[in-house]
Amino acid sequence: MTTFTLHGQAVSRGVAIGRAVLAAASRVDVAHYFIAPEQVSDEMARLRRARDTVIDDLQRLRHGLAHDGVGAHAELAALLEVHLMLLQDEQLQEGVKHWVSERHYNAEWALTAQLEVVARQFDEMEDPYLRERRADLEQVVERMLRVLQGAPSPLAHAPTPSAEGEALVLVAHDLSPADMLHFKHGVFAGFVTDVGGRTSHTAIVARSLEIPAVVGVRNASQWVQQDDLVIIDGDAGVLIVNPTPMMLAEYGYKQRQGEVEREKLTRIKNTPAVTLDGQRIELLANIELPEDTLPALAVGTVGVGLFRTEFLFMGRGGHLPDEEEQYDAYRRAVEGMHGLPVTIRTVDVGADKPLDHHRRDEHLNPALGLRAIRWSLAEPAMFLTQLRAILRAAAHGRVNILIPMVAHLREIRQVHTMLAKAREQLDHRGAVYGPVRLGVMIEVPAAALAVRMFLPHVDFVSIGTNDLIQYALAIDRVDESVAHLYDPLHPAVLRMVADTIAAAREAGKPVSVCGEMAGDVTLTRLLLGLGLRSFSMHPTQILPVKQQVLRSDTRKLQAWAQQVVASDEPAALLVG
Ligand code: PEP
Ligand code: MG
């Protein structure tokens, strides 16, 4: 058997070794025929029934997720939401109706004809995230076709690991989030797909399940044969087919090392995050849904440093959550943390987080447009609703409010005014609410440079390095063609992070980092050396970062950290 290697994108870390299971090519064969004019209403009724069945299926899956208690599935739930929305998309429905009633196409033909029309529009979109949503559309249409034809999902009967206990690796052209749910109980040790990028379903789901995966391995599903032995190197983005005994031994070792590492990490779950020189470090979680508090607590977090509330607002066809719905979500997060603090960020939609995924942001440059606090201040009724909901949730525990994308001092002043107004409205109603501390995100270079002016007006600051890097280096976060320029270690970025930490400490105000830099273990020592004592990150990163904290002596890191910031080659110093 020939050994060969295929390359793709590394999207979920770790090594998986197992037998390949090829998911059947997913396209459904579609019959094309004309119906008689009097059959139009029956044909439309068939389509409606198929659509309702798929909607029921997806809703059941989503419901199952919500009750799974596994908050890391939040992104997966959001994807199901996108599918549900696409099914109800007017353009799809109207188009299909047109093909059936005007052209007398049969239901299946009408569906695929309209799919082509809409898919072409997706192809023309500039935003890679939105372009990838074409695959979502194809998947929902395919599900409807299967229902129309009474065919089961190709993965409805997921295999079980072989009797010899050999692991299985799934190789597919693409996988829908609904199909992937069949694997959440650990049937597959790894995933490989022909298509997709970092924001594809396979990538997102594999990361949230912490399963090694490589996506965008062109033609993998054609090159790999059923039952081939394969190795997935999720760190390097490589798929090795029919490995040599030497490769097997090497990767087997790497895999065991990873397991030992993970096992070791669980042992420090309840160890306080204190450095060798006795500095207590706050390791907080970033969450997206109230249910995410569970996995956050499971790794021993001491609070939520960033609750991204936009997930409540997105994908609802413009229908925004009302005060009760928001209050309910915030209260659940606050109660879920059992007295530990929860920092709720006001809605940050726009740019990479549009209100509706399938609707392209019409603005020329959405990252510089009406997003985050700018949008909130432009929609005072919406903003006041959110502030009232947060204030009411604060009656149930410790709550901080965090404002995204602040660039001007007057925006902070306006937020204070709005907060006072929200309290007044609640007083007027006799509603119960609690105290909140107000903080701003430092994620626009202007805010980093003017942070000393902002500090007297806020209770704390939190550095959003994801956007800070985007804006400092002028690179679109979601544009793959400039992804190689995205550099947390650029001297300008380090300078701003270092200055913000220093300024906040001088002013005696708490400062934390809640962008990806906080969860990057290669940067933990640097941030500690710069004086950072509060880190907020995806819950999966909390234990690896804690391990770094436990091994660090901040006294020894200070001078070195200043050297790194001043260096023209910080990366070299970091390794050394
Ligand atoms: C950031 O910009 O670093 C951040 C934490 O916010 P988001 O990633 O949600 O924009
Ligand atoms: Mg941000």
Side-chain angles (χ1 to χ4, degrees):
M1 258 181 277
T2 341
T3 302
F4 59 95
T5 303
L6 299 170
H7 294 261
Q9 287 209 42
V11 290
S12 185
R13 301 177 61 103
V15 171
I17 304 175
R19 293 277 164 199
V21 174
L22 287 172
S26 51
R27 287 286 145 263
V28 186
D29 280 335
V30 171
H32 298 75
Y33 54 88
F34 291 105
I35 54 167
E38 57 275 16
Q39 288 175 305
V40 165
S41 66
D42 283 353
E43 206 63 2
M44 286 305 298
R46 269 183 77 213
L47 276 163
R48 267 194 305 278
R49 276 196 304 275
R51 199 195 61 176
D52 291 348
T53 307
V54 176
I55 289 179
D56 281 354
D57 274 0
L58 295 182
Q59 273 171 345
R60 217 171 324 113
L61 285 168
R62 192 180 52 170
H63 195 69
L65 273 186
H67 290 83
D68 235 11
V70 186
H73 294 321
E75 286 176 295
L76 186 46
L79 284 174
L80 289 178
E81 205 62 55
V82 172
H83 280 205
L84 280 165
M85 230 171 49
L86 287 170
L87 276 167
Q88 287 154 29
D89 183 72
E90 230 169 74
Q91 210 196 344
L92 186 66
Q93 286 179 39
E94 286 303 310
V96 169
K97 194 167 152 201
H98 161 82
W99 296 115
V100 175
S101 54
E102 308 290 322
R103 303 284 184 91
H104 299 165
Y105 285 8
N106 65 314
E108 291 88 342
W109 188 4
L111 254 181
T112 47
Q114 189 56 21
L115 169 67
E116 266 176 42
V117 174
V118 186
R120 223 171 298 133
Q121 295 169 3
F122 273 97
D123 281 346
E124 282 162 13
M125 292 180 174
E126 274 169 35
D127 183 333
Y129 178 85
L130 292 177
R131 264 204 315 272
E132 265 181 33
R133 301 289 70 87
R134 176 199 163 122
D136 292 278
L137 182 70
E138 285 173 348
Q139 286 163 355
V140 290
V141 166
E142 193 181 308
R143 268 186 115 72
M144 274 183 72
L145 289 172
R146 284 185 189 285
V147 172
L148 283 169
Q149 299 178 343
S153 153
L155 294 159
H157 307 290
T160 43
S162 65
E164 301 84 58
E166 265 182 326
L168 301 175
V169 166
L170 187 69
V171 182
H173 177 70
D174 194 12
L175 291 166
S176 78
D179 281 334
M180 285 200 79
L181 279 175
H182 290 291
F183 324 131
K184 75 181 152 79
H185 297 303
V187 181
F188 291 105
F191 300 115
V192 179
T193 56
D194 295 348
V195 295
R198 277 198 71 78
T199 49
S200 64
H201 320 120
T202 316
I204 291 170
V205 179
R207 272 200 298 273
S208 73
L209 301 180
E210 295 183 61
I211 292 177
V214 185
V215 303
V217 192
R218 281 193 203 148
N219 300 328
S221 65
Q222 284 163 32
W223 287 101
V224 180
Q225 311 273 312
Q226 191 77 23
D227 249 16
D228 271 351
L229 188 59
V230 296
I231 298 176
I232 294 180
D233 181 344
D235 300 307
V238 170
L239 172 72
I240 304 171
V241 186
N242 301 319
T244 61
M246 198 108 115
M247 288 168 162
L248 269 178
E250 187 188 323
Y251 277 97
Y253 177 73
K254 195 171 167 192
Q255 191 180 31
R256 279 191 299 280
Q257 285 294 101
E259 278 159 19
V260 170
E261 252 335 277
R262 268 195 297 282
E263 156 62 25
K264 257 204 242 154
L265 283 178
T266 58
R267 286 189 231 145
I268 58 170
K269 188 189 122 183
N270 296 317
T271 312
V274 178
T275 59
L276 294 173
D277 55 320
Q279 295 281 327
R280 187 169 280 275
I281 310 300
E282 192 178 43
L283 300 182
L284 305 164
N286 291 355
I287 67 167
E288 285 159 4
L289 290 175
E291 295 76 38
D292 293 346
T293 50
L294 276 173
L297 287 173
V299 290
T301 185
V302 294
V304 168
L306 172 65
F307 179 1
R308 291 181 162 104
T309 58
E310 46 276 10
F311 285 84
L312 290 167
F313 289 71
M314 285 157 62
R316 311 172 51 121
H319 164 77
L320 300 181
D322 63 14
E323 184 182 319
E324 284 313 304
E325 185 181 345
Q326 291 189 55
Y327 164 63
D328 183 58
Y330 307 150
R331 179 186 49 75
R332 279 190 291 135
V334 171
E335 288 179 349
M337 290 306 288
H338 305 286
L340 295 169
V342 177
T343 299
I344 303 177
R345 181 172 74 181
T346 58
V347 64
D348 183 11
V349 294
D352 59 316
K353 288 170 281 206
L355 265 186
D356 278 312
H357 275 318
H358 68 313
R359 220 159 281 160
R360 189 167 137 62
D361 192 326
E362 296 299 330
H363 298 98
L364 267 183
N365 207 334
L368 303 182
L370 194 67
R371 55 170 294 203
I373 186 59
R374 302 168 181 186
W375 185 61
S376 294
L377 291 174
E379 299 279 345
M382 183 281 299
F383 193 37
L384 282 168
T385 304
Q386 182 168 36
L387 292 177
R388 287 193 306 269
I390 300 175
L391 285 167
R392 286 173 59 198
H396 301 271
R398 288 162 64 192
V399 170
N400 306 316
I401 295 187
L402 182 60
I403 308 294
M405 278 277 292
V406 166
H408 301 267
L409 181 54
R410 68 168 177 277
E411 288 164 340
I412 302 176
R413 291 208 172 100
Q414 281 168 293
V415 170
H416 278 293
T417 308
M418 294 297 267
L419 260 175
K421 187 153 186 187
R423 287 192 187 99
E424 207 177 284
Q425 290 173 338
L426 289 172
D427 285 336
H428 194 69
R429 272 193 349 221
V432 180
Y433 60 91
V436 291
R437 294 189 319 147
L438 179 70
V440 291
M441 294 211 39
I442 302 298
E443 53 181 348
V444 177
L449 296 173
V451 69
R452 284 183 171 77
M453 288 169 213
F454 293 179
L455 281 162
H457 305 272
V458 296
D459 298 312
F460 67 98
V461 292
S462 187
I463 310 176
T465 50
N466 307 340
D467 277 312
L468 189 61
I469 298 168
Q470 151 165 279
Y471 294 121
L473 304 182
I475 31 161
D476 194 334
R477 266 165 89 161
V478 291
D479 185 345
E480 284 163 33
S481 63
V482 287
H484 62 290
L485 298 172
Y486 194 88
D487 180 12
L489 289 177
H490 189 291
V493 173
L494 290 182
R495 181 84 271 154
M496 284 193 273
V497 170
D499 285 350
T500 304
I501 297 170
R505 285 175 64 104
E506 280 161 30
K509 299 272 165 94
V511 51
S512 93
V513 170
C514 64
E516 293 297 304
M517 278 177 84
D520 183 340
V521 289
T522 63
L523 302 176
T524 310
R525 280 162 17 99
L526 175 63
L527 293 170
L528 286 172
L530 294 176
L532 191 73
R533 298 293 178 262
S534 173
F535 297 62
S536 192
M537 66 204 84
H538 192 281
T540 51
Q541 289 310 109
I542 286 186
L543 292 179
V545 169
K546 192 192 275 188
Q547 191 178 42
Q548 296 295 319
V549 167
L550 297 177
R551 292 174 181 165
S552 301
D553 183 332
T554 62
R555 289 167 308 188
K556 295 189 183 146
L557 293 173
Q558 285 162 17
W560 165 78
Q562 292 306 328
Q563 272 172 22
V564 175
V565 172
S567 163
D568 52 8
E569 238 186 297
L573 280 175
L574 217 58
V575 177

